[in-house]
Amino acid sequence: MDTIHDLGGREGFGPVKWQSDNDKKPFHEPWQARSWAVCMIMFGRLRRDKTGWTLDWSRHVLERIPPANYLAMNYFDKWTQHMMALLIDQGTANVAEFVEGRSKSKPTAITPIDMVPTEAEDARFSLGDSVVTKQKIGSMHTRLPGFARGCKGIIEASHGPEILADDSAVGTLRKEHLYTVIFDSTELWPKDGGRPFDVRVDLWESYLEIP
Amino acid sequence: MVSHDSDKIAHIHRELHSHLPPEPGLRVKALETVLIEKGFLQNDTVDNWLENYAEKIGPKVGARVIARSWIDPSFEQTLRDDAMKAFVELDLAEEGGGYDLQAVFNSESEHNLVVCTLCSCYPLRLLGMSPAWYKSTEYRARAVRDPHGVLEEFGVELSDDVKLHVWDSTSERRFMVVPQRPPATDGWSEDDLANLVTRNSMIGTHRDLSPGPETR
């Protein structure tokens, strides 16, 4: 689904904020570092516990923060809330516990799920091939950005089979060939004018069609 | 178990948003406390983790690899062919524990800029947390549409003969820009060269690393 997170090319945004931050201070507040640390530690734990968690599911959970909140909340506050939502969804905690900041129950026992990736079929595209990206994607979560849909590009590199993000987000591991596709700015933004450039996007095979 | 149910998650977010305290610091505190009380974390897990990361990762890790590539052509080739291998060779990453990383090289005629329009993908486990501007909505929206304008805001003006490539981090591959070695640095030590490499230059919002009078 196309929620607010798909920001590439959206207009109306002003100058880039925080350009002159110090290299050594990536966090503006100490709580931000803690949010990052808790999430990174818990990603490892959720992976080991085999609860069906995947990084793509995590990304989708973050994307479902309501659009107005998504744009207004601090980046790390979104990480905090997405981790709470992940844990509530899988029965580790409930809303009231996070609201009160106290655990009042034992987590639901998890039956580990072994997720084994399905291997990829033979690659359909080779270096230098012209491709066109799909106009519509029906996935709950996808890594084909809106700005690169229905656009012609060239296969610049082939990376072999990788787990398809769209399926991984719903708990199915399936490999598909991954490519870097080059798009000219004149193809992406034909009415913009200005100096040309190119955008290179990693795209899975099912995002691509023969023109 | 994980539901993979998008609407259920949207409902949970609305509940959380209505009831959680507004201060982000209190929300993290609540998250950490609940996880400690449930036995997922110890009291000192987060502090230890942050301390460990502060020592091992950060922009300096990338800077060391780049500086070595400037003085050692065979190392530069390794960085081009298999960037993670270059980090492992300098003992800056563990074998197999890193990323599928691609180093993209700037030259007289080419400049590279990295973004993640869909979220905030970045080689965190090597270069540390990304800068706040990298995660801003402004950068994510504009870097693929007005990259020359974004670069000018950062003080980078590309001459007309320099081609600009923008890399959107949509897969699990990660990117690190390798800036050019500045002129007038012949005979510099590897450490002095590494000190010239800025975090922004490894993303592409800083191009000319010319040594200033205060650098050495």
Side-chain angles (χ1 to χ4, degrees), chain A residues 60 75 89 102 195 200 202, chain B residues 3 6 37 120 158 166 170:
Chain A
H60 183 68
Y75 174 80
D89 172 65
R102 296 236 74 90
R195 285 179 62 177
R200 289 136 192 252
D202 283 353
Chain B
S3 71
S6 188
E37 291 181 1
S120 55
L158 298 180
V166 181
T170 48

Side-chain angles (χ1 to χ4, degrees), chain B residues 50 53 61 76 84-85 88 97 135 149 173 177 181-182 206:
Chain B
L50 284 169
Y53 264 63
V61 170
E76 185 203 312
M84 271 317 298
K85 197 174 162 197
V88 173
K135 304 184 286 274
R173 295 190 330 113
V177 176
R181 178 175 179 164
H206 183 189

Side-chain angles (χ1 to χ4, degrees), chain A residues 1 5-11 13-19 21-23 26-28 31 33-38 40-42 45 49-53 55-57 59-61 64-66 69-71 73 75-77 79-85 87-90 92-93 95 97-99 101-107 110-111 113 140 142-145 147 156 159 162 169-171 178 180 189 192 195-204, chain B residues 1-10 12-17 19-25 27-28 30-35 37-41 43 45-47 49-50 53 57 59-60 99-100 102 110 112 116-121 124-125 128-148 150 153-154 157-162 164-175 197-200:
Chain A
M1 55 187 296
H5 72 282
D6 188 356
L7 284 167
R10 279 181 199 260
E11 294 177 283
F13 288 96
V16 177
K17 293 194 185 96
W18 309 300
Q19 287 171 37
D21 276 7
N22 183 323
D23 267 13
F27 302 101
H28 294 154
W31 68 262
R34 294 196 88 73
S35 175
W36 179 49
V38 170
M40 295 295 275
I41 294 165
M42 288 306 294
R45 175 67 185 252
D49 284 355
K50 301 181 181 176
T51 64
W53 176 87
L55 193 54
D56 290 300
W57 167 242
R59 288 196 180 104
H60 183 68
V61 169
R64 287 309 313 261
I65 290 177
N69 304 138
Y70 185 97
L71 290 176
M73 286 166 78
Y75 174 80
F76 293 101
D77 199 20
W79 275 53
T80 305
Q81 187 167 312
H82 115 285
M83 181 51 67
M84 288 179 177
L87 295 169
I88 293 166
D89 172 65
Q90 63 173 38
T92 307
V95 173
E97 289 176 309
F98 288 128
V99 170
R102 296 236 74 90
S103 169
K104 291 188 285 189
S105 61
K106 289 205 162 135
I110 301 273
T111 315
I113 317 167
M140 181 182 90
T142 187
R143 301 297 284 181
L144 174 56
F147 76 84
E156 197 253 355
H159 305 293
E162 294 290 341
V170 293
L178 179 74
T180 300
W189 319 110
D192 277 13
R195 285 179 62 177
F197 55 94
D198 63 53
V199 181
R200 289 136 192 252
V201 190
D202 283 353
L203 298 173
W204 276 269
Chain B
M1 307 310 302
V2 170
S3 71
H4 302 114
D5 179 342
S6 188
D7 289 340
K8 182 184 172 194
I9 288 295
I12 294 170
H13 277 308
R14 288 193 292 271
E15 288 283 300
L16 285 170
H17 201 81
H19 296 106
L20 284 175
E23 298 84 0
R27 298 168 186 237
V28 185
L31 172 63
E32 191 183 343
T33 306
V34 168
L35 287 170
E37 291 181 1
K38 286 184 189 289
F40 284 91
L41 305 172
N43 283 321
T45 308
V46 171
D47 289 317
W49 190 92
L50 284 169
Y53 264 63
I57 67 172
K60 287 284 156 234
Y99 290 100
D100 186 354
Q102 181 175 353
E110 288 182 294
N112 294 280
C116 175
T117 61
L118 294 173
C119 48
S120 55
C121 294
L124 294 171
R125 295 194 303 274
M129 178 45 69
S130 56
W133 61 257
Y134 181 81
K135 304 184 286 274
S136 69
T137 48
E138 290 81 8
Y139 183 72
R140 286 169 53 196
R142 292 177 53 215
V144 290
R145 185 146 191 181
D146 178 25
H148 289 99
V150 167
E153 285 171 23
F154 279 88
E157 301 225 10
L158 298 180
S159 54
D160 287 342
D161 52 355
V162 177
L164 175 57
H165 311 301
V166 181
W167 300 80
D168 192 1
S169 312
T170 48
S171 76
E172 293 305 331
R173 295 190 330 113
R174 297 288 174 268
F175 304 97
V197 181
T198 61
R199 185 173 56 177
N200 288 6

